[in-house]
């Protein structure tokens, strides 16, 4: 067998290729993770070492500072305790031939400037501190290279005594930094101070001095100081090398001076340029170190972080920590190239492991697939070649539960099915017929079978002189139920409806589901039309009982159209069309009713279609106009608003009343573009009123249910307001109660959004719809418009008087304004004004007029007021 034709080799190649790609990707991912981990680990270690080194130095300096402060306190205490004690008369000082005083006590020496007179205060200070100095001398000399007391009178007590021997007679230590740095002039707060690192030529070491001012009873007496050999700083940094690869350290001051670096030696300066050679002036810094120190001092790189920076021609990872007591900063750094070297070593190990894994996987997969897959597939192939037309009883081996065994079991089941297929072919044919002629959800006849049944019945009435009735029906608002409760609930509803329909019919009658929520019923042997109406009423009553869906009880209505044969027609297609027209009429006349087909229905349909075509042309040809009817303040008679009323100026019929074309526009969906035109035209008129200084006149615009249920209504409204420039507070949108109930959630959301813009909202024809107070309080409305049906019999009708009074009282309690429509007589106006109505609208005040007459009337009314 050629190598690449073997399934074993192909599977192996796929697995190895996939493993190789996965290995490379995993290697790259692990490489990135390892690089991040290495850098994070070294950075954390760097920060840890920096903190450890900082803490170590802090402890070292703090221990020495505490010791010197304790020495200062002991000396001050001895002077305070002996303030009243006398000094022996024989205690004094012997001047040397050069005029200076040099005396020795223990290992320390005393020096007095040759020009300083010996006073009693000087003798008292020396005498009373001798004992304390001798006690503390053994401890101090273990921690410092030298220590001393310098008084303001130029008296110096110094350990070791050899330093006193080297003083010239005119040596004035009060003029040196060891005194001035701690004296009140430079140290008004009296804190311990550290000097910069300098080279002390006497012991030949780099040194820093700790200075502590001495105050006795609040009076400055001098300075207690000690010198510290800085070699331990170098040794501490050098010791860090053993804990970290290629690690280096440095110390710099808050003034930007590099105090020391790990590469620096302890050798003396090349030449002496003064009494004290200060360590590492800033001018001697390298550019990289100078830039790092400047960034750290400016706050650009805060302490504790780890930063990339170039030092000594290499990119370094640097971290530093503060030493607040000395105003110093300790820095540590290592070269980033060290990370790259370690990362390369790690990646080499990873890829070696991946290569070994691929080799092991390839060998294992090859022999494993050969044994577990290829051998068994070849055996199955051999067995299947024996199966023939007359050998369907053969069975394949089914050992195991893997895919090959499942394949064998599947082929065995297939062989059994083939045997069963021959035996059950007739049953399958019958099942196919049932699938072709019956609805799968309800089990009713489908459209195909029903048409066959109807065709057979039509043939029968020709031979036997019989009558039949054809009923078309669909469910009212089925789409709303489907959308709100889900398609599964809709399917259960259709099953329940089909069961109730069967229960309403005789055995010889037929019922079918034509599709969706449409059903058809064939009533055979109908002796008279009344029987068809009885069945229709029975169906309407049966569907009027609640059906439980998703823990809710739903009542579904139906609209039924009825046609009779042979009275209406003997043609199958015509009968089905007639039944459909009749059903449409039933829906048009209120739903949940039935209608018999009449020839006039064809004419009504044609008229409706013609009206829809004319409406479309009217919209294109700009035949619509807006008339305006004023709304007056019932108390002052002032015009406070106008309502925009749509009129159709037909080119042949003239002005067409709204009640003739609005229903057709709503049924056809044209009410949406017509409503958009009305909204834009009314907003433009409101803008014109604003410009004409009629800012107080609000413009009311009617909004249909179709518009309010449109998801884009609010955004379209905002666009109209933006384009026309109208002030939203000048607009009032009027909606009916039935409009609000059409889609409650969407309507409420839109009303709240519009109210937020400042638009007024009014409920039109209030009192003729649901008028639910619990629902009304949820609406963000500002105004109620009382329907004209309550006004036309005022003030004579007691019920209308009571209803109107109640509506006004309720509106006032809810802070709504009340607009009364249909005011046509003076008695009506007088009663409504006394009742407390806010605004009135009707023929008594003004008929609807075009915009030109409106403007004239507004100007005249403005002159009167």
């Amino acid at each position: 067998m050629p190598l690449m034709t073997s399934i074993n080799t192909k599977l192996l190649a796929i697995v190895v290729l996939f493993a190789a790609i996965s290995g490379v990707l995993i290697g790259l991912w692990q490489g990135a993770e390892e690089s991040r981990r290495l850098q994070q680990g070294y950075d954390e270690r760097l920060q840890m070492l920096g903190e450890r080194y900082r803490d170590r130095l802090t402890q070292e300096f703090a221990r020495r500072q505490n010791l010197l402060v304790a020495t200062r306190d002991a000396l001050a205490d001895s002077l305070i305790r002996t303030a009243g004690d006398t000094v022996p008369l024989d205690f004094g000082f012997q001047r040397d031939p050069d005029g200076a005083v040099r005396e020795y006590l223990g290992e320390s020496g005393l020096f007095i400037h040759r020009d300083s007179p010996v006073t009693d205060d000087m003798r008292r200070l020396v005498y009373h501190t001798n004992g304390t100095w001798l006690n503390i001398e053994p401890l101090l000399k273990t921690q410092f290279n030298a220590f001393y007391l310098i008084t303001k009178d130029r008296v110096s007590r110094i350990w070791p005594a050899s330093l006193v021997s080297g003083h010239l007679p005119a040596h004035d230590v009060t003029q040196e930094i060891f005194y001035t740095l701690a004296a009140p002039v430079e140290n008004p707060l009296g804190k311990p101070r550290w000097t910069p690192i300098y080279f002390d030529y006497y012991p030949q070491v780099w040194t820093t001095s700790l200075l502590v001012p001495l105050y006795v009873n609040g009076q400055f007496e001098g300075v207690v100081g000690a010198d510290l050999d800085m070699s331990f700083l170098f040794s501490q940094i050098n010791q860090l090398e053993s804990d970290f690869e290629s690690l280096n350290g440095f110390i710099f001051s808050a003034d930007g001076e590099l105090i020391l670096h790990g590469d620096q030696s302890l050798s003396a300066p090349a030449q002496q340029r003064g009494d004290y050679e200060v360590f590492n002036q800033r001018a001697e810094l390298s550019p990289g170190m100078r830039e790092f120190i400047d960034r750290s001092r400016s706050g650009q790189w805060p302490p504790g972080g780890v930063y990339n920076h170039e030092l000594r021609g290499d990119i370094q990872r640097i971290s530093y920590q503060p030493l607040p007591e000395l105003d110093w900063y300790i820095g540590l750094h290592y070269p980033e190239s060290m990370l790259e070297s370690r990362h390369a070593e790690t990646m080499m190990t990873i890829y070696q492991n991946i290569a070994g894994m691929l080799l092991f996987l390839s060998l294992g997969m090859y022999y494993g697939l050969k044994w577990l897959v290829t051998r068994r597939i070849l055996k199955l192939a051999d067995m299947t070649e024996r199966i023939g037309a007359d050998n369907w009883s053969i069975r394949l081996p089914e050992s195991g539960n893997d895919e090959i065994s499942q394949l064998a079991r599947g082929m065995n089941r297939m062989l059994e099915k083939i045997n069963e297929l021959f035996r059950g072919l007739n049953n399958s044919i019958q099942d196919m017929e049932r699938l072709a002629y019956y609805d799968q959800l309800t089990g009713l006849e489908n459209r195909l079978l029903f048409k066959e049944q109807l065709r057979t019945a039509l043939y029968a009435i020709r031979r036997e002189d019989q009558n039949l009735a054809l009923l078309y029906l669909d469910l009212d608002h089925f789409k709303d139920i489907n959308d709100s409760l889900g398609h599964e609930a809709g399917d259960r509803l259709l099953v329940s409806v089909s069961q109730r329909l069967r229960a309403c019919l005789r055995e010889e009658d037929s019922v079918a589901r034509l599709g969706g929520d449409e059903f058809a019923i064939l009533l055979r042997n109908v002796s008279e039309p009344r029987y068809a109406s009885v069945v229709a009423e029975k169906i309407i009553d049966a569907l009027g009982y609640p059906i439980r869906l998703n823990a809710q009880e739903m009542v579904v209505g139906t609209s039924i159209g009825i046609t009779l044969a042979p009275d209406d027609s003997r043609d199958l297609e015509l009968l089905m069309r007639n039944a459909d027209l009749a059903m449409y009429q039933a829906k048009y006349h209120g739903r949940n009713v039935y209608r018999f087909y009449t020839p006039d229905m064809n004419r009504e349909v044609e008229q409706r279609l013609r009206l829809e075509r004319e409406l479309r042309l009217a919209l294109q040809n700009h035949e619509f106009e807006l008339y305006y009817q004023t709304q007056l303040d019932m108390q002052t008679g002032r015009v406070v608003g106008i309502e925009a009323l749509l009129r159709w100026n037909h080119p042949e019929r003239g002005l067409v009343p709204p009640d003739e074309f609005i229903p057709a526009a709503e049924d056809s969906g044209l009410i949406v573009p017509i409503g958009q035109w009305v909204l834009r035209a009314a907003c433009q008129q409101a803008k014109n009123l604003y410009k004409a200084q009629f800012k107080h006149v609000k413009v009311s615009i009617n909004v249909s249910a179709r518009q309010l249920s449109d998801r884009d209504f609010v955004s379209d409204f905002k666009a109209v307001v933006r384009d026309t420039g109208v002030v939203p507070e000048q607009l009032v949108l009027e909606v009916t109660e039935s409009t609000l109930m059409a889609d409650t959630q969407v309507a409420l959301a839109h009303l709240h959004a519009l109210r937020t813009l400042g638009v007024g909202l009014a409920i039109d024809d209030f009192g003729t719809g649901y008028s639910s107070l619990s629902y009304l309080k949820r609406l963000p409305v500002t105004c109620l418009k009382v329907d004209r049906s309550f006004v036309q019999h005022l003030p004579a009708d007691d019920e209308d008087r009571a209803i109107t009074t109640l509506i006004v009282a309720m509106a006032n309690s809810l802070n709504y304004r009340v607009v009364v429509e249909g005011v046509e007589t003076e008695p009506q106006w007088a009663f409504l004004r006394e009742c407390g109505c806010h605004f009135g609208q009707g023929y008594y005040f003004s008929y609807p007029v075009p915009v030109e007459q409106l403007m004239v009337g507004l100007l005249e009314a403005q002159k009167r007021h």
Side-chain angles (χ1 to χ4, degrees), residues 840-858:
Q841 177 180 344
Y843 295 161
Y844 180 72
F845 306 114
S846 170
Y847 284 87
V849 295
V851 65
E852 294 81 6
Q853 295 184 30
L854 170 71
M855 296 304 295
V856 172
L858 289 176

Side-chain angles (χ1 to χ4, degrees), residues 538-786:
K538 187 176 180 181
I539 291 173
I540 293 174
D541 292 340
L543 297 184
Y545 290 99
I547 298 174
R548 193 166 189 81
L549 298 173
N550 294 351
Q552 299 184 36
E553 290 190 345
M554 305 295 300
V555 176
V556 58
T558 182
S559 301
I560 304 175
I562 306 173
T563 185
L564 303 173
D567 295 347
D568 296 331
S569 177
R570 294 177 181 269
D571 182 75
L572 183 144
E573 297 297 336
L574 282 177
L575 279 175
M576 296 182 75
R577 178 175 175 273
N578 293 344
D580 192 43
L581 285 175
M583 182 184 70
Y584 182 83
Q585 285 295 319
K587 295 173 72 69
Y588 185 75
H589 287 87
R591 301 178 185 269
N592 208 29
V593 295
Y594 65 90
R595 287 289 183 271
F596 280 92
Y597 168 78
T598 63
D600 292 339
M601 290 182 179
N602 290 322
R603 290 191 295 272
E604 291 180 10
V605 171
E606 291 175 359
Q607 291 175 358
R608 189 175 299 109
L609 292 176
R610 183 173 64 253
L611 182 58
E612 290 180 8
R613 287 195 301 270
E614 291 180 347
L615 284 173
R616 295 182 191 278
L617 291 174
L619 191 60
Q620 296 175 6
N621 298 334
H622 309 289
E623 297 174 5
F624 291 110
E625 299 178 4
L626 286 184
Y627 276 45
Y628 297 92
Q629 189 174 30
T630 57
Q631 297 172 347
L632 275 65
D633 189 311
M634 298 289 285
Q635 303 301 323
T636 64
R638 186 183 182 189
V639 176
V640 295
I642 58 175
E643 180 179 2
L645 302 172
L646 182 63
R647 294 294 185 266
W648 180 13
N649 193 354
H650 195 280
E652 298 176 359
R653 300 167 54 192
L655 287 179
V656 181
D659 54 359
E660 289 189 19
F661 67 86
I662 291 296
E666 290 181 342
D667 287 342
S668 63
L670 287 172
I671 194 65
V672 173
I674 292 176
Q676 292 174 348
W677 178 87
V678 171
L679 181 63
R680 184 172 293 274
C683 286
Q684 186 60 55
Q685 181 58 37
K687 178 64 176 179
N688 295 337
L689 289 174
Y690 191 88
K691 291 181 178 179
Q693 300 304 315
F694 293 108
K695 301 179 181 179
H696 65 283
V697 178
K698 296 183 179 296
V699 179
S700 298
I701 308 168
N702 290 281
V703 178
S704 68
R706 285 283 188 94
Q707 289 177 274
L708 196 60
S709 62
D710 186 357
R711 300 289 177 176
D712 298 327
F713 177 69
V714 175
S715 59
D716 292 343
F717 177 81
K718 291 179 180 178
V720 172
V721 171
R722 182 179 61 252
D723 295 342
T724 58
V726 68
V727 179
E729 287 77 7
Q730 199 175 358
L731 303 177
V732 178
L733 300 184
E734 297 185 4
V735 294
T736 63
E737 293 173 89
S738 58
T739 296
L740 295 173
M741 296 302 293
D743 193 342
T744 305
Q745 297 302 323
V746 175
L748 278 176
H750 285 176
L751 292 180
H752 282 288
L754 293 170
R755 193 70 190 93
T756 302
L757 297 176
V759 179
L761 300 173
I763 297 182
D764 197 10
D765 301 336
F766 184 77
T768 61
Y770 295 90
S771 300
S772 170
L773 295 180
S774 63
Y775 180 72
L776 183 62
K777 69 179 183 179
R778 298 166 52 195
L779 301 175
V781 298
T782 58
C783 180
L784 300 180
K785 296 195 70 175
V786 180

Side-chain angles (χ1 to χ4, degrees), residues 303-338:
V306 181
Y307 311 101
N308 268 18
H309 189 64
E310 183 177 353
L311 291 179
R312 299 181 297 175
D314 193 6
I315 299 298
Q316 305 280 327
R317 299 287 292 173
I318 307 179
S319 180
Y320 73 99
Q321 301 286 343
L323 277 174
E325 295 82 0
L326 304 179
D327 283 339
W328 289 358
Y329 295 92
I330 304 170
L332 297 176
H333 62 89
Y334 67 90
E336 195 172 50
S337 58
M338 181 181 67

Side-chain angles (χ1 to χ4, degrees), residues 454-468 525 565-566 569-575:
L454 180 58
R455 185 176 290 107
T456 303
L458 289 173
Y459 287 140
I461 65 174
R462 292 173 184 167
R463 296 192 308 267
E464 302 174 7
D465 193 21
Q466 296 177 350
N467 296 327
L468 62 82
N525 300 321
S569 177
R570 294 177 181 269
D571 182 75
L572 183 144
E573 297 297 336
L574 282 177
L575 279 175

Side-chain angles (χ1 to χ4, degrees), residues 824-835:
E824 298 183 357
T825 65
E826 194 278 335
Q828 292 175 348
W829 170 73
F831 169 77
L832 293 171
R833 185 176 61 177
E834 294 176 2
C835 187

